[in-house]
Amino acid sequence: MKQAAPVRTGGRGSLVRRVLAVVAAGVTLAATPLASAHAAPAGTVLAPLPGGTFSTAYGIDDNGVVVGYAGTAAGHTHAARWSADGRRVKDLGTLPGDTESIAYTVREDGTIVGMSAGRDKVEDAVKWTRSGAVVRLPGLPGATETRAYGINDNGAAVGISSTPTGVHRPVRWSARGEVTALTTLPGDPAGGVGGINDRGVSVGYSGTPGGVLTSLRWAADGTPTELEPLAGDNSSHASWINNAGVAVGHSYVAGAHPLIRPLRWEADGTPVALELLPGDTGGSSWGINDEGYSTGYTYAPGGQTHAVRWAPDGTVTKLGVLESGAGEGYQINAHGAVAGYTTSDDGATLAALWKD
């Protein structure tokens, strides 16, 4: 089962790219070990596209193939696929006429899902076939933003598709590409779904007009069940679910500057807080594998994020970063390898792969 990239409600910028001004000089086409004496497991910066200066990795399959996005020489964001050793990168391209694209999840058979957008900023969900062809997945009527975040081994995909005014709605696609809107809570106009397991069970959120989120788990028939936040919180966001029915995400009190806490929901729906790195105050878990290992980030009081991996018992391990830069882990495969990003000293956001 493959899991999607993080579903975020804060707009396209943080999800599409984390790009700061960088200098291209010194970026090498070879994969480079991350410099961190205390990192476990070790990390590697993935090769950029020729002339590109930024990238992020979102998905990883059990063969170690990684997908995400990378900057082109022209400064566009293009979906990218990296070989398991991180040294070879392929530009997956866009739908005809589009200029931007992102890949979120890859299956072992080579199928990839993501999004493609043109100069008009309208986003279409897409699927790259095993042969490399890119196919549009339909959105809801009038949608201006449609993204496919995850796909399971049976070909069912999940993501978001907006209303004409840009409000996100959770959707699922059949293996034939037919789109269906998933149910949100009564009165909630917004929602999103990020992960689907091989049994067709998916997780995401339902959102009120005031910004309070309730995590939902949808059965294969689309029936939603609420997942409770951590004690004392009133909002949560479920991001991933494994084949055992265990989900991960974050919990918080809705407000202008919430303290976000990483958590795991057991198969029976019980919320369990995940450990933070010493000195950190919050975080989120974005992905979980079938063994119960999960990945995400924790953050310091100043806001800097640290890529981490949690063991099934909830204990946390810091992943290596470049110099003092921020980082996050997004997906984790069956072998515990993590795809995400790290940040160099000069501000370059770079796709990263961590392996034992």
Side-chain angles (χ1 to χ4, degrees), residues 4 10 17 37 103 164 166 210 218 221 243 274 300 303 313 317 339 353:
R17 61 172 90 177
W218 289 273
D221 66 1
N243 283 326
L274 296 174
D313 65 1
T317 298
L353 171 65

Side-chain angles (χ1 to χ4, degrees), residues 54 73 97 112 148 158 180 273 306 322:
F54 59 87
I112 298 167
V158 292
T180 301
H306 307 116
L322 256 179

Side-chain angles (χ1 to χ4, degrees), residues 114-195:
M115 60 78 70
S116 179
R119 290 182 175 84
D120 59 2
K121 304 303 180 185
V122 172
E123 299 179 13
D124 289 306
V126 294
K127 177 170 67 176
W128 285 270
T129 66
R130 296 171 61 184
S131 65
V134 58
V135 178
R136 179 183 177 274
L137 296 174
L140 298 177
T144 57
E145 295 179 51
T146 304
R147 306 171 191 150
Y149 288 129
I151 185 169
N152 67 13
D153 285 347
N154 301 312
V158 292
I160 60 97
S161 189
S162 72
T163 66
T165 57
V167 178
H168 290 181
R169 299 291 298 174
V171 294
R172 181 171 62 198
W173 290 271
S174 69
R176 296 184 299 275
E178 300 159 333
V179 66
T180 301
L182 293 175
T183 302
T184 53
L185 296 180
D188 284 5
V193 54

Side-chain angles (χ1 to χ4, degrees), residues 33-301:
L34 300 188
S36 178
H38 305 291
T44 299
V45 170
L46 303 180
L49 289 174
T53 59
F54 59 87
S55 57
T56 288
Y58 283 129
I60 182 170
D61 71 12
D62 289 342
N63 298 318
V65 174
V66 175
V67 296
Y69 68 78
T72 68
H76 294 300
T77 298
H78 274 199
R81 182 182 65 215
W82 287 270
S83 59
D85 63 7
R87 295 180 179 275
R88 298 184 303 279
V89 59
K90 178 178 177 59
D91 185 339
L92 296 175
T94 67
L95 286 173
D98 282 357
T99 57
E100 312 278 326
S101 60
I102 298 176
Y104 294 119
T105 298
V106 57
R107 289 195 324 199
E108 282 72 24
D109 70 354
T111 304
I112 298 167
V113 293
M115 60 78 70
S116 179
R119 290 182 175 84
D120 59 2
K121 304 303 180 185
V122 172
E123 299 179 13
D124 289 306
V126 294
K127 177 170 67 176
W128 285 270
T129 66
R130 296 171 61 184
S131 65
V134 58
V135 178
R136 179 183 177 274
L137 296 174
L140 298 177
T144 57
E145 295 179 51
T146 304
R147 306 171 191 150
Y149 288 129
I151 185 169
N152 67 13
D153 285 347
N154 301 312
V158 292
I160 60 97
S161 189
S162 72
T163 66
T165 57
V167 178
H168 290 181
R169 299 291 298 174
V171 294
R172 181 171 62 198
W173 290 271
S174 69
R176 296 184 299 275
E178 300 159 333
V179 66
T180 301
L182 293 175
T183 302
T184 53
L185 296 180
D188 284 5
V193 54
I196 183 169
N197 67 18
D198 291 337
R199 297 172 181 170
V201 180
S202 53
V203 293
Y205 69 92
S206 178
T208 71
V212 175
L213 303 186
T214 300
S215 290
L216 295 181
R217 179 173 58 203
W218 289 273
D221 66 1
T223 303
T225 299
E226 292 185 38
L227 296 173
E228 295 295 323
L230 293 172
D233 290 347
N234 67 355
S235 289
S236 66
H237 181 302
S239 300
W240 271 259
I241 186 168
N242 67 15
N243 283 326
V246 180
V248 292
H250 58 259
S251 178
Y252 60 100
V253 176
H257 302 287
L259 176 65
I260 298 171
R261 298 190 286 168
L263 84 158
R264 178 183 71 237
W265 287 274
E266 304 294 1
D268 64 3
T270 302
V272 179
L274 296 174
E275 185 178 72
L276 303 177
L277 290 175
D280 282 1
T281 55
S284 180
S285 181
W286 294 126
I288 185 170
N289 67 16
D290 287 346
E291 299 299 318
Y293 287 88
S294 54
T295 190
Y297 69 93
T298 65
Y299 63 86

Side-chain angles (χ1 to χ4, degrees), residues 21-36:
V22 296
V23 178
V27 178
T28 174
L29 287 175
T32 309
L34 300 188
S36 178

